[in-house]
Amino acid sequence: MRVVMFGYQTWGHRTLQALLDSEHEVVLVVTHPKSDHVYEKIWDDSVAELAEKHGVPVLLRNRPGDEELLQALREAAPDIIVANNWRTWLPPEIFDFPPHGTLNVHDALLPSYAGFSPLIWALINGEPEVGVTAHRMDGDLDMGDIVLQRSVPVGPADTATDLFHKTVDLIGPIVREALEKIESGTAEWTKQDRSRASFFHKRSVEDSRIDWTWPAEDLERLVRAQCDPYPNAFTHHRGERIRIVSAAVSRARYGGTPGRIFIREDDGVVIVAGAEARTGRCRGLVIKRLRTEDGVEHAATDYFRTMGGYLTGRP
């Protein structure tokens, strides 16, 4: 089949590589210009550079739909469009243009976690598995009929980076298998149960701010979700921002006020956590390693020389 590809960052790069390695002909690539947004500088393998290396025409767009792009699409005459990590809405004159429409590849187990940053949100929420879904694009965000879906388990120590590597490796096989089914006419399309759909927004700095009234179990997952190279979960100590690099849930239960720097436990320092911490029935968050604003990483037991005082959401 003749394929036009819309995509960006490493997700788009993996998709384009799978197409280039297949028997299909990639006739046009549309990707976004480089961005200074903190999350778009992570996993930023260039789709444009890969396309140019293989002699495939490239158009750079923040948003699609202009006449030059539409004319290029008409001239390319694709049988199908394949999209992955295209960051803005595609209009129906694009996604319905080819005979087989547009196959969108999304790194979540739809209908849950439509939208943005699905792996991070899923890890924070304690989901037991994550995955990748290939579906036909329609007018609603990530809600088109599903042709293929694959999942991987979330391990107890997995970080968002671990889940990225697990799921990005699914892209190539899913793209190739989905296109084989579509080309051969054997694809079976399953409508999504929209009553089970959930939509998530892009992550921002505010979403990494620690709220010490969260249960320690949730905070520990937040730290794993906001691991390097993502912007770390952060809090403030004596007016200065500190970033939490690694943490665990305490063995013992601790009572008091959320955010209190309480006691050493094993190789870390316990911070009281949980809205019901005053009852003494909550686990604390054991901070093991942290990073100060100068970029220096510290063992928590070295940084917190004395107990007492509080960690706060704001200076």
Side-chain angles (χ1 to χ4, degrees):
M1 292 189 291
R2 292 172 61 83
V3 181
V4 169
M5 187 266 180
F6 280 72
Y8 187 49
Q9 293 178 280
T10 301
W11 296 270
H13 188 279
R14 286 292 187 98
T15 302
L16 178 57
Q17 188 64 64
L19 293 170
L20 292 168
D21 291 341
S22 74
E23 71 277 14
H24 306 290
E25 181 185 4
V26 184
V27 292
L28 176 67
V29 165
V30 186
T31 187
H32 298 301
K34 283 187 175 293
S35 169
D36 289 328
H37 188 285
V38 62
Y39 280 91
E40 294 187 7
K41 293 169 73 174
I42 304 169
W43 318 127
D44 62 347
D45 292 304
S46 173
V47 170
E49 290 177 8
L50 179 60
E52 289 164 356
K53 177 182 175 182
H54 289 268
V56 179
V58 177
L59 291 177
L60 297 179
R61 291 293 187 277
N62 283 313
R63 294 182 179 276
D66 60 275
E67 184 53 37
E68 181 189 9
L69 188 153
L70 294 174
Q71 181 58 32
L73 193 61
R74 288 190 287 266
E75 292 174 358
D79 297 299
I80 193 168
I81 293 172
V82 177
N84 193 345
N85 200 41
W86 180 260
R87 310 298 281 178
T88 58
W89 184 64
L90 289 179
E93 57 265 32
I94 291 179
F95 68 69
D96 271 344
F97 176 76
H100 291 295
T102 294
L103 182 75
N104 187 53
V105 182
H106 181 67
D107 54 337
L109 296 175
L110 297 175
S112 299
Y113 297 94
F116 299 90
S117 304
L119 296 178
I120 294 177
W121 288 113
L123 180 52
I124 291 171
N125 291 333
E127 300 293 350
E129 59 181 8
V130 293
V132 175
T133 301
H135 68 100
R136 180 159 179 166
M137 186 178 289
D138 63 14
D140 294 323
L141 179 63
D142 295 330
M143 282 287 98
D145 294 353
I146 293 172
V147 66
L148 203 60
Q149 191 171 73
R150 295 287 183 268
S151 65
V152 291
V154 177
D158 276 346
T159 66
T161 298
D162 295 325
L163 298 183
F164 163 79
H165 288 297
K166 286 183 179 183
T167 54
V168 80
D169 285 342
L170 297 175
I171 290 174
I174 279 181
V175 168
R176 290 190 293 270
E177 186 177 346
L179 290 185
E180 180 183 344
K181 289 176 179 289
I182 292 168
E183 184 180 31
S184 66
T186 61
E188 296 182 4
W189 300 91
T190 302
K191 289 191 176 299
Q192 295 192 46
D193 180 353
R194 300 196 174 205
S195 69
R196 294 176 47 239
S198 56
F199 299 85
F200 286 82
H201 60 74
K202 291 181 181 181
R203 301 288 296 178
S204 70
V205 171
E206 185 63 28
D207 300 309
S208 300
R209 188 187 306 275
I210 291 176
D211 179 348
W212 291 104
T213 65
W214 281 23
E217 294 82 358
D218 292 358
L219 292 177
E220 188 270 340
R221 291 195 301 270
L222 174 65
V223 170
R224 284 191 282 128
Q226 295 293 164
C227 68
D228 295 339
Y230 296 100
N232 301 115
F234 69 90
T235 186
H236 290 83
H237 180 238
R238 297 176 179 172
E240 298 296 323
R241 181 181 296 193
I242 58 172
R243 304 173 189 275
I244 310 306
V245 175
S246 65
V249 177
S250 69
R251 290 182 290 104
R253 300 179 188 274
Y254 297 93
T257 301
R260 177 76 172 189
I261 305 164
F262 193 3
I263 194 171
R264 291 188 180 189
E265 186 181 283
D266 300 329
D267 59 347
V269 173
V270 175
I271 311 300
V272 177
E276 300 298 318
R278 60 181 175 77
T279 67
R281 293 194 293 267
C282 295
R283 306 281 179 180
L285 185 74
V286 181
I287 297 178
K288 295 186 174 185
R289 299 196 66 81
L290 59 89
R291 187 177 294 127
T292 48
E293 283 292 81
D294 58 6
V296 177
E297 190 172 312
H298 305 264
T301 51
D302 292 335
Y303 181 83
F304 297 110
R305 297 287 182 154
T306 58
M307 300 298 101
Y310 293 86
L311 299 182
T312 57
R314 300 184 184 278

